[in-house]
Amino acid sequence: MKSRNMASPKKASAPAKKPPRSAAKRQSRWAGGVTMDVCLRVDSPKIREMEKQAAQRRGFKWALGLIIIICFLALLKITVQESILKNPQFELRDVAVQTSGPLTVEKIVRATLLTRGENLLSINMRALHTRLRQLPPVKDVSIQRDFDAGLMTLRITQRQPVAWLDCPKLGMIPCRPEVGYLLDHEAVPFPCDVVTESTVGLPVIRYADLSQKTAGTAIQDLQLTAALRLLKELELRFEQGQPQVRSIEIQTPYSMVASFADKSVITFGVDDLDLQLARLDRVRIEARLRQWEIGTLNLLARQNVPITFRKAPDLAGLQPQSSPTVSVSKSTSVR
């Protein structure tokens, strides 16, 4: 009975059963991994010698390449100098100046700092343009190079003067070279080096209280701007037959006095020039019809405009017939 119930030795030594495959997969899925870097470089005197020789070969190649580049650049420089910079075909032979105005050609050429024989390709065009624009009378510059003829052509647009600026306080004396200053319509003053026939006959704007004297820079002044506008309008009327203006004096911040070739003196206000010029046109037309010789006229007044004559005016038809006869003085007023 006992031997029958005992387990056999073969069955007792049998290995334990393996866990299910799904369980093994779950364990490997959750198990963490470790990565290790292993350096397998082998160091020896022979290897170090081989690396040294390889570094020497690389250094020799770099040095050889650098020497070749330097030699190429030097050869290129010599080629450029001999074929272009020292080529007589590109030499500057003459400078032509096309301009019109008070600025002389000689002064323009001196301002360029160009020399005969200079290579046209080596000239700094931007610096040349800047030097010419720094001249106060110059308004615009155009430069052209002709390599075949060795010619540099300068087209200079000068500011066109419309009047002399008179301000003794700032040393501006009209019709005198070097100390005389001209004005254009943009209120830009510039010195006059040479007084010519075209500039000596220009009208004068007198402004004793002027505080700015910067040649080549527009003067930001309301009174001077009004005087230039008045001058422009009077010049247009001169072309239509009215007397020519000789000078405009800015006396106060609100008044200007214009003197004309017919010896008339007319006072204008700085504001409402259009209205004042319309009154002037009516007076000029009446004076021409009746042969009046105007002495003074004050257009600042809005209602009764004071006017004087150099000789007794003909007022026939202007007074009511019923009025008694009175003696007419040389001074009267009109609306």
Side-chain angles (χ1 to χ4, degrees):
M1 292 297 292
K2 292 181 180 179
S3 61
R4 186 178 297 176
N5 294 330
M6 292 178 60
S8 62
K10 186 175 181 180
K11 291 182 180 180
S13 62
K17 293 182 178 180
K18 293 182 180 181
R21 189 172 183 178
S22 59
K25 286 184 177 181
R26 286 195 298 268
Q27 290 178 2
S28 62
R29 184 181 302 167
W30 293 103
V34 178
T35 302
M36 298 180 64
D37 296 332
V38 180
C39 181
L40 300 178
R41 181 179 178 183
V42 181
D43 189 13
S44 67
K46 182 64 175 178
I47 293 175
R48 288 196 296 269
E49 182 65 24
M50 293 175 63
E51 291 178 348
K52 183 179 179 180
Q53 292 178 359
Q56 290 178 352
R57 287 194 297 269
R58 288 194 300 269
F60 176 76
K61 290 180 180 179
W62 279 104
L64 181 61
L66 182 61
I67 292 173
I68 292 175
I69 293 174
I70 293 174
C71 293
F72 175 76
L73 293 177
L75 181 61
L76 181 62
K77 181 180 179 180
I78 295 173
T79 303
V80 170
Q81 289 180 347
E82 294 297 331
S83 62
I84 299 178
L85 298 182
K86 294 184 179 180
N87 192 337
Q89 182 180 357
F90 300 108
E91 289 183 355
L92 176 63
R93 300 183 183 92
D94 196 7
V95 177
V97 180
Q98 300 176 4
T99 187
S100 176
L103 189 62
T104 61
V105 175
E106 291 76 11
K107 189 169 184 178
I108 294 175
V109 174
R110 288 198 303 268
T112 60
L113 301 179
L114 297 175
T115 57
R116 189 181 297 273
E118 188 176 359
N119 193 281
L120 288 171
L121 294 174
S122 63
I123 297 175
N124 190 334
M125 302 298 291
R126 179 176 297 180
L128 177 60
H129 191 276
T130 302
R131 287 195 298 269
L132 292 174
R133 285 298 302 268
Q134 288 176 348
L135 297 173
V138 175
K139 187 175 182 180
D140 195 12
V141 177
S142 177
I143 305 174
Q144 184 177 1
R145 291 180 292 187
D146 188 350
F147 298 99
D148 295 333
L151 180 65
M152 177 79 73
T153 303
L154 307 177
R155 295 181 177 88
I156 308 297
T157 303
Q158 297 191 38
R159 300 184 181 276
Q160 297 302 317
V162 297
W164 292 93
L165 184 58
D166 186 3
C167 182
K169 180 179 67 175
L170 299 179
M172 299 179 180
I173 303 176
C175 300
R176 289 190 183 181
E178 297 181 359
V179 295
Y181 274 71
L182 296 166
L183 274 174
D184 66 351
H185 275 304
E186 299 177 356
V188 177
F190 52 92
C192 180
D193 298 329
V194 179
V195 178
T196 61
E197 295 182 359
S198 60
T199 58
V200 73
L202 292 174
V204 178
I205 296 180
R206 297 185 176 92
Y207 194 3
D209 296 332
L210 183 65
S211 59
Q212 178 182 351
K213 181 186 176 182
T214 305
T217 303
I219 299 176
Q220 304 296 331
D221 186 272
L222 295 177
Q223 287 75 28
L224 185 60
T225 303
L228 286 172
R229 184 191 169 195
L230 175 61
L231 176 62
K232 184 178 180 180
E233 294 292 337
L234 294 177
E235 290 290 343
L236 292 176
R237 283 160 173 77
F238 169 68
E239 296 176 358
Q240 298 172 1
Q242 293 190 18
Q244 185 178 14
V245 60
R246 293 300 188 187
S247 66
I248 297 177
E249 183 178 1
I250 303 174
Q251 292 184 339
T252 64
Y254 55 85
S255 65
M256 303 175 291
V257 177
S259 300
F260 293 83
D262 64 347
K263 299 181 181 180
S264 60
V265 178
I266 301 177
T267 302
F268 292 88
V270 174
D271 301 323
D272 299 329
L273 279 179
D274 294 334
L275 179 60
Q276 298 175 69
L277 289 170
R279 292 177 180 175
L280 175 63
D281 293 338
R282 292 197 297 270
V283 173
R284 289 291 191 187
I285 292 173
E286 193 70 24
R288 184 168 60 252
L289 293 176
R290 297 180 176 272
Q291 297 182 354
W292 290 346
E293 294 182 4
I294 300 175
T296 62
L297 178 64
N298 190 348
L299 295 174
L300 277 173
R302 294 181 178 273
Q303 296 298 327
N304 296 320
V305 178
I307 181 172
T308 63
F309 302 91
R310 293 194 301 274
K311 66 179 183 179
D314 180 13
L315 300 180
L318 296 180
Q319 294 180 345
Q321 296 181 357
S322 61
S323 61
T325 304
V326 295
S327 60
V328 179
S329 64
K330 293 185 179 181
S331 177
T332 185
S333 63
V334 297
R335 289 186 180 272

